[in-house]
């Protein structure tokens, strides 16, 4: 498998199902790009995704949880180094 083929497979099996789920949950919205734009670029149309207000709040909560987890891990690691 080429690396581009492997990357495409990852999107099909992992990324797109997550995007569809987030769209059902109203965290993201999507639309197809303009046909003329894709044609001018010599490629198929792409689906364009963006966060909704709800998705932005969800992303912010995830960033806060990640930051808190990183602090706990850093504190734990520093405690073991110095202790």
């Amino acid at each position: 498998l080429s690396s581009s083929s492997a990357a495409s497979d990852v999107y099909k099996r992992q990324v797109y199902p997550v995007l569809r789920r987030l769209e059902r949950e109203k965290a993201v919205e999507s639309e197809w790009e303009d046909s003329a734009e894709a044609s001018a670029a010599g490629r198929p149309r792409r689906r364009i995704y963006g966060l909704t207000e709800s998705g932005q709040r969800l992303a912010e909560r995830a960033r806060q949880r990640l930051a808190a987890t990183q602090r706990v891990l850093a504190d734990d690691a520093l405690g073991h180094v110095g202790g």
Side-chain angles (χ1 to χ4, degrees):
L1 278 178
S2 72
S3 61
S4 64
S5 176
S8 177
D9 191 45
V10 167
Y11 277 101
K12 288 176 187 171
R13 290 187 299 121
Q14 295 179 3
V15 175
Y16 292 133
V18 170
L19 285 169
R20 284 192 294 275
R21 179 180 56 81
L22 290 171
E23 198 165 17
R24 280 192 308 272
E25 294 172 0
K26 308 291 188 217
V28 300
E29 54 192 8
S30 68
E31 62 183 36
W32 287 103
E33 80 175 322
D34 183 63
S35 296
E37 186 177 330
S39 181
R43 58 173 167 67
R45 289 190 313 160
R46 296 183 288 194
R47 190 116 182 121
I48 309 298
Y49 291 86
L51 286 175
T52 62
E53 285 185 35
S54 172
Q56 289 173 2
R57 289 190 299 272
L58 183 66
E60 181 56 33
R61 286 193 302 271
R63 279 191 290 273
Q64 290 170 356
R65 285 192 309 272
L66 177 59
T69 300
Q70 289 172 326
R71 283 191 300 275
V72 167
L73 293 173
D75 290 347
D76 190 46
L78 291 175
H80 285 96
V81 170

